[in-house]
Amino acid sequence: MLTPNEIRRRLRRDLVTIAEAYQIGFESRLYTEAEYENLKQTLLQLRELNMNPQHMEQLLAING
């Protein structure tokens, strides 16, 4: 299980420039490795689609 701080640290390590572009908020809970991997893949896909952070916020608002 990963804490929000561990996820932030790993995203910065794994996705250096991508992670800092997207300001992601995390709930105060533990996350599974699968949740982390899904988030990482989502960020990579957003970058491939050339979506900026504002697009992500709009998507999350629609899906949330």
PDB file of all heavy atoms in Angstrom, residues 14-36:
ATOM      1  N   ASP A  14       9.312   8.410 -11.708  1.00  0.00           N
ATOM      2  CA  ASP A  14       8.991   7.623 -12.899  1.00  0.00           C
ATOM      3  C   ASP A  14       8.636   8.465 -14.125  1.00  0.00           C
ATOM      4  O   ASP A  14       8.905   8.057 -15.250  1.00  0.00           O
ATOM      5  CB  ASP A  14       7.828   6.668 -12.615  1.00  0.00           C
ATOM      6  CG  ASP A  14       8.185   5.610 -11.579  1.00  0.00           C
ATOM      7  OD1 ASP A  14       9.385   5.424 -11.286  1.00  0.00           O
ATOM      8  OD2 ASP A  14       7.258   4.965 -11.054  1.00  0.00           O
ATOM      9  N   LEU A  15       8.015   9.610 -13.884  1.00  0.00           N
ATOM     10  CA  LEU A  15       7.513  10.410 -14.999  1.00  0.00           C
ATOM     11  C   LEU A  15       8.046  11.830 -14.967  1.00  0.00           C
ATOM     12  O   LEU A  15       7.364  12.771 -15.352  1.00  0.00           O
ATOM     13  CB  LEU A  15       5.977  10.456 -14.965  1.00  0.00           C
ATOM     14  CG  LEU A  15       5.253   9.116 -14.997  1.00  0.00           C
ATOM     15  CD1 LEU A  15       3.755   9.326 -14.914  1.00  0.00           C
ATOM     16  CD2 LEU A  15       5.605   8.345 -16.259  1.00  0.00           C
ATOM     17  N   VAL A  16       9.236  11.986 -14.555  1.00  0.00           N
ATOM     18  CA  VAL A  16       9.912  13.255 -14.294  1.00  0.00           C
ATOM     19  C   VAL A  16       9.150  14.504 -14.740  1.00  0.00           C
ATOM     20  O   VAL A  16       8.615  15.228 -13.923  1.00  0.00           O
ATOM     21  CB  VAL A  16      11.320  13.249 -14.910  1.00  0.00           C
ATOM     22  CG1 VAL A  16      12.046  14.524 -14.605  1.00  0.00           C
ATOM     23  CG2 VAL A  16      12.113  12.061 -14.402  1.00  0.00           C
ATOM     24  N   THR A  17       9.086  14.791 -16.026  1.00  0.00           N
ATOM     25  CA  THR A  17       8.483  16.048 -16.472  1.00  0.00           C
ATOM     26  C   THR A  17       6.964  15.988 -16.525  1.00  0.00           C
ATOM     27  O   THR A  17       6.302  17.008 -16.362  1.00  0.00           O
ATOM     28  CB  THR A  17       9.010  16.450 -17.858  1.00  0.00           C
ATOM     29  OG1 THR A  17       8.710  15.412 -18.778  1.00  0.00           O
ATOM     30  CG2 THR A  17      10.501  16.671 -17.833  1.00  0.00           C
ATOM     31  N   ILE A  18       6.414  14.837 -16.746  1.00  0.00           N
ATOM     32  CA  ILE A  18       4.958  14.716 -16.866  1.00  0.00           C
ATOM     33  C   ILE A  18       4.268  14.954 -15.528  1.00  0.00           C
ATOM     34  O   ILE A  18       3.282  15.679 -15.448  1.00  0.00           O
ATOM     35  CB  ILE A  18       4.574  13.334 -17.426  1.00  0.00           C
ATOM     36  CG1 ILE A  18       5.125  13.164 -18.840  1.00  0.00           C
ATOM     37  CG2 ILE A  18       3.059  13.147 -17.408  1.00  0.00           C
ATOM     38  CD1 ILE A  18       4.951  11.778 -19.410  1.00  0.00           C
ATOM     39  N   ALA A  19       4.771  14.360 -14.476  1.00  0.00           N
ATOM     40  CA  ALA A  19       4.110  14.432 -13.170  1.00  0.00           C
ATOM     41  C   ALA A  19       3.981  15.861 -12.665  1.00  0.00           C
ATOM     42  O   ALA A  19       2.968  16.227 -12.075  1.00  0.00           O
ATOM     43  CB  ALA A  19       4.849  13.581 -12.146  1.00  0.00           C
ATOM     44  N   GLU A  20       4.965  16.684 -12.892  1.00  0.00           N
ATOM     45  CA  GLU A  20       4.922  18.047 -12.389  1.00  0.00           C
ATOM     46  C   GLU A  20       3.953  18.922 -13.172  1.00  0.00           C
ATOM     47  O   GLU A  20       3.442  19.909 -12.653  1.00  0.00           O
ATOM     48  CB  GLU A  20       6.317  18.645 -12.365  1.00  0.00           C
ATOM     49  CG  GLU A  20       7.172  17.964 -11.319  1.00  0.00           C
ATOM     50  CD  GLU A  20       8.473  18.678 -11.065  1.00  0.00           C
ATOM     51  OE1 GLU A  20       8.620  19.832 -11.482  1.00  0.00           O
ATOM     52  OE2 GLU A  20       9.332  18.059 -10.432  1.00  0.00           O
ATOM     53  N   ALA A  21       3.659  18.563 -14.409  1.00  0.00           N
ATOM     54  CA  ALA A  21       2.736  19.351 -15.220  1.00  0.00           C
ATOM     55  C   ALA A  21       1.302  19.204 -14.726  1.00  0.00           C
ATOM     56  O   ALA A  21       0.513  20.126 -14.818  1.00  0.00           O
ATOM     57  CB  ALA A  21       2.826  18.925 -16.678  1.00  0.00           C
ATOM     58  N   TYR A  22       0.974  18.035 -14.203  1.00  0.00           N
ATOM     59  CA  TYR A  22      -0.379  17.769 -13.737  1.00  0.00           C
ATOM     60  C   TYR A  22      -0.411  17.840 -12.217  1.00  0.00           C
ATOM     61  O   TYR A  22       0.243  17.058 -11.534  1.00  0.00           O
ATOM     62  CB  TYR A  22      -0.837  16.379 -14.195  1.00  0.00           C
ATOM     63  CG  TYR A  22      -0.909  16.259 -15.697  1.00  0.00           C
ATOM     64  CD1 TYR A  22       0.156  15.743 -16.424  1.00  0.00           C
ATOM     65  CD2 TYR A  22      -2.034  16.684 -16.379  1.00  0.00           C
ATOM     66  CE1 TYR A  22       0.092  15.646 -17.801  1.00  0.00           C
ATOM     67  CE2 TYR A  22      -2.103  16.585 -17.762  1.00  0.00           C
ATOM     68  CZ  TYR A  22      -1.040  16.064 -18.463  1.00  0.00           C
ATOM     69  OH  TYR A  22      -1.088  15.972 -19.828  1.00  0.00           O
ATOM     70  N   GLN A  23      -1.181  18.764 -11.684  1.00  0.00           N
ATOM     71  CA  GLN A  23      -1.318  18.904 -10.237  1.00  0.00           C
ATOM     72  C   GLN A  23      -2.444  17.983  -9.782  1.00  0.00           C
ATOM     73  O   GLN A  23      -3.613  18.291  -9.982  1.00  0.00           O
ATOM     74  CB  GLN A  23      -1.630  20.360  -9.875  1.00  0.00           C
ATOM     75  CG  GLN A  23      -0.542  21.317 -10.290  1.00  0.00           C
ATOM     76  CD  GLN A  23       0.787  21.004  -9.618  1.00  0.00           C
ATOM     77  OE1 GLN A  23       0.839  20.758  -8.420  1.00  0.00           O
ATOM     78  NE2 GLN A  23       1.847  21.004 -10.386  1.00  0.00           N
ATOM     79  N   ILE A  24      -2.074  16.870  -9.195  1.00  0.00           N
ATOM     80  CA  ILE A  24      -3.046  15.861  -8.813  1.00  0.00           C
ATOM     81  C   ILE A  24      -3.229  15.867  -7.303  1.00  0.00           C
ATOM     82  O   ILE A  24      -2.258  15.834  -6.560  1.00  0.00           O
ATOM     83  CB  ILE A  24      -2.577  14.459  -9.267  1.00  0.00           C
ATOM     84  CG1 ILE A  24      -2.352  14.463 -10.774  1.00  0.00           C
ATOM     85  CG2 ILE A  24      -3.564  13.398  -8.855  1.00  0.00           C
ATOM     86  CD1 ILE A  24      -1.636  13.243 -11.274  1.00  0.00           C
ATOM     87  N   GLY A  25      -4.464  15.901  -6.880  1.00  0.00           N
ATOM     88  CA  GLY A  25      -4.765  15.827  -5.456  1.00  0.00           C
ATOM     89  C   GLY A  25      -5.050  14.383  -5.062  1.00  0.00           C
ATOM     90  O   GLY A  25      -5.630  13.629  -5.834  1.00  0.00           O
ATOM     91  N   PHE A  26      -4.614  14.028  -3.882  1.00  0.00           N
ATOM     92  CA  PHE A  26      -4.821  12.665  -3.398  1.00  0.00           C
ATOM     93  C   PHE A  26      -5.600  12.688  -2.098  1.00  0.00           C
ATOM     94  O   PHE A  26      -5.385  13.560  -1.263  1.00  0.00           O
ATOM     95  CB  PHE A  26      -3.472  11.959  -3.153  1.00  0.00           C
ATOM     96  CG  PHE A  26      -2.671  11.765  -4.407  1.00  0.00           C
ATOM     97  CD1 PHE A  26      -1.650  12.644  -4.723  1.00  0.00           C
ATOM     98  CD2 PHE A  26      -2.940  10.727  -5.259  1.00  0.00           C
ATOM     99  CE1 PHE A  26      -0.909  12.490  -5.877  1.00  0.00           C
ATOM    100  CE2 PHE A  26      -2.204  10.558  -6.419  1.00  0.00           C
ATOM    101  CZ  PHE A  26      -1.182  11.440  -6.724  1.00  0.00           C
ATOM    102  N   GLU A  27      -6.482  11.720  -1.948  1.00  0.00           N
ATOM    103  CA  GLU A  27      -7.187  11.565  -0.686  1.00  0.00           C
ATOM    104  C   GLU A  27      -6.198  11.051   0.351  1.00  0.00           C
ATOM    105  O   GLU A  27      -5.206  10.416   0.018  1.00  0.00           O
ATOM    106  CB  GLU A  27      -8.323  10.557  -0.835  1.00  0.00           C
ATOM    107  CG  GLU A  27      -9.416  11.002  -1.778  1.00  0.00           C
ATOM    108  CD  GLU A  27     -10.458   9.926  -1.974  1.00  0.00           C
ATOM    109  OE1 GLU A  27     -10.522   8.971  -1.175  1.00  0.00           O
ATOM    110  OE2 GLU A  27     -11.219  10.043  -2.946  1.00  0.00           O
ATOM    111  N   SER A  28      -6.504  11.296   1.600  1.00  0.00           N
ATOM    112  CA  SER A  28      -5.641  10.833   2.685  1.00  0.00           C
ATOM    113  C   SER A  28      -5.990   9.382   3.001  1.00  0.00           C
ATOM    114  O   SER A  28      -6.765   9.085   3.905  1.00  0.00           O
ATOM    115  CB  SER A  28      -5.831  11.719   3.918  1.00  0.00           C
ATOM    116  OG  SER A  28      -4.969  11.286   4.939  1.00  0.00           O
ATOM    117  N   ARG A  29      -5.452   8.487   2.207  1.00  0.00           N
ATOM    118  CA  ARG A  29      -5.670   7.047   2.387  1.00  0.00           C
ATOM    119  C   ARG A  29      -4.516   6.298   1.752  1.00  0.00           C
ATOM    120  O   ARG A  29      -3.657   6.903   1.123  1.00  0.00           O
ATOM    121  CB  ARG A  29      -6.999   6.614   1.769  1.00  0.00           C
ATOM    122  CG  ARG A  29      -7.028   6.711   0.249  1.00  0.00           C
ATOM    123  CD  ARG A  29      -8.348   6.173  -0.308  1.00  0.00           C
ATOM    124  NE  ARG A  29      -8.416   6.215  -1.747  1.00  0.00           N
ATOM    125  CZ  ARG A  29      -8.012   5.227  -2.562  1.00  0.00           C
ATOM    126  NH1 ARG A  29      -7.464   4.123  -2.079  1.00  0.00           N
ATOM    127  NH2 ARG A  29      -8.131   5.342  -3.869  1.00  0.00           N
ATOM    128  N   LEU A  30      -4.514   5.000   1.903  1.00  0.00           N
ATOM    129  CA  LEU A  30      -3.494   4.179   1.259  1.00  0.00           C
ATOM    130  C   LEU A  30      -3.980   3.767  -0.126  1.00  0.00           C
ATOM    131  O   LEU A  30      -5.168   3.547  -0.341  1.00  0.00           O
ATOM    132  CB  LEU A  30      -3.200   2.939   2.096  1.00  0.00           C
ATOM    133  CG  LEU A  30      -2.546   3.204   3.448  1.00  0.00           C
ATOM    134  CD1 LEU A  30      -2.371   1.895   4.205  1.00  0.00           C
ATOM    135  CD2 LEU A  30      -1.208   3.900   3.282  1.00  0.00           C
ATOM    136  N   TYR A  31      -3.050   3.672  -1.045  1.00  0.00           N
ATOM    137  CA  TYR A  31      -3.352   3.299  -2.420  1.00  0.00           C
ATOM    138  C   TYR A  31      -2.642   1.997  -2.760  1.00  0.00           C
ATOM    139  O   TYR A  31      -1.539   1.734  -2.296  1.00  0.00           O
ATOM    140  CB  TYR A  31      -2.884   4.398  -3.383  1.00  0.00           C
ATOM    141  CG  TYR A  31      -3.674   5.679  -3.239  1.00  0.00           C
ATOM    142  CD1 TYR A  31      -3.343   6.615  -2.269  1.00  0.00           C
ATOM    143  CD2 TYR A  31      -4.756   5.937  -4.056  1.00  0.00           C
ATOM    144  CE1 TYR A  31      -4.073   7.786  -2.118  1.00  0.00           C
ATOM    145  CE2 TYR A  31      -5.491   7.101  -3.923  1.00  0.00           C
ATOM    146  CZ  TYR A  31      -5.147   8.017  -2.952  1.00  0.00           C
ATOM    147  OH  TYR A  31      -5.868   9.162  -2.807  1.00  0.00           O
ATOM    148  N   THR A  32      -3.264   1.217  -3.629  1.00  0.00           N
ATOM    149  CA  THR A  32      -2.648  -0.044  -4.046  1.00  0.00           C
ATOM    150  C   THR A  32      -1.655   0.217  -5.163  1.00  0.00           C
ATOM    151  O   THR A  32      -1.679   1.267  -5.815  1.00  0.00           O
ATOM    152  CB  THR A  32      -3.710  -1.039  -4.556  1.00  0.00           C
ATOM    153  OG1 THR A  32      -4.309  -0.497  -5.746  1.00  0.00           O
ATOM    154  CG2 THR A  32      -4.767  -1.320  -3.508  1.00  0.00           C
ATOM    155  N   GLU A  33      -0.816  -0.744  -5.394  1.00  0.00           N
ATOM    156  CA  GLU A  33       0.142  -0.670  -6.496  1.00  0.00           C
ATOM    157  C   GLU A  33      -0.605  -0.569  -7.823  1.00  0.00           C
ATOM    158  O   GLU A  33      -0.192   0.161  -8.729  1.00  0.00           O
ATOM    159  CB  GLU A  33       1.053  -1.908  -6.477  1.00  0.00           C
ATOM    160  CG  GLU A  33       2.185  -1.871  -7.457  1.00  0.00           C
ATOM    161  CD  GLU A  33       3.248  -0.843  -7.107  1.00  0.00           C
ATOM    162  OE1 GLU A  33       3.448  -0.536  -5.922  1.00  0.00           O
ATOM    163  OE2 GLU A  33       3.887  -0.328  -8.050  1.00  0.00           O
ATOM    164  N   ALA A  34      -1.718  -1.279  -7.952  1.00  0.00           N
ATOM    165  CA  ALA A  34      -2.511  -1.231  -9.186  1.00  0.00           C
ATOM    166  C   ALA A  34      -3.073   0.170  -9.420  1.00  0.00           C
ATOM    167  O   ALA A  34      -3.088   0.650 -10.562  1.00  0.00           O
ATOM    168  CB  ALA A  34      -3.641  -2.253  -9.123  1.00  0.00           C
ATOM    169  N   GLU A  35      -3.534   0.846  -8.377  1.00  0.00           N
ATOM    170  CA  GLU A  35      -4.037   2.210  -8.519  1.00  0.00           C
ATOM    171  C   GLU A  35      -2.927   3.144  -8.987  1.00  0.00           C
ATOM    172  O   GLU A  35      -3.146   4.009  -9.834  1.00  0.00           O
ATOM    173  CB  GLU A  35      -4.631   2.716  -7.204  1.00  0.00           C
ATOM    174  CG  GLU A  35      -5.950   2.068  -6.848  1.00  0.00           C
ATOM    175  CD  GLU A  35      -6.440   2.472  -5.479  1.00  0.00           C
ATOM    176  OE1 GLU A  35      -5.643   2.420  -4.513  1.00  0.00           O
ATOM    177  OE2 GLU A  35      -7.620   2.844  -5.370  1.00  0.00           O
ATOM    178  N   TYR A  36      -1.738   2.958  -8.435  1.00  0.00           N
ATOM    179  CA  TYR A  36      -0.594   3.776  -8.859  1.00  0.00           C
ATOM    180  C   TYR A  36      -0.284   3.541 -10.334  1.00  0.00           C
ATOM    181  O   TYR A  36      -0.087   4.484 -11.103  1.00  0.00           O
ATOM    182  CB  TYR A  36       0.635   3.477  -7.995  1.00  0.00           C
ATOM    183  CG  TYR A  36       1.878   4.107  -8.567  1.00  0.00           C
ATOM    184  CD1 TYR A  36       2.092   5.479  -8.447  1.00  0.00           C
ATOM    185  CD2 TYR A  36       2.814   3.355  -9.264  1.00  0.00           C
ATOM    186  CE1 TYR A  36       3.214   6.075  -9.000  1.00  0.00           C
ATOM    187  CE2 TYR A  36       3.930   3.943  -9.816  1.00  0.00           C
ATOM    188  CZ  TYR A  36       4.121   5.304  -9.675  1.00  0.00           C
ATOM    189  OH  TYR A  36       5.213   5.895 -10.239  1.00  0.00           O
TER     190      TYR A  36
END
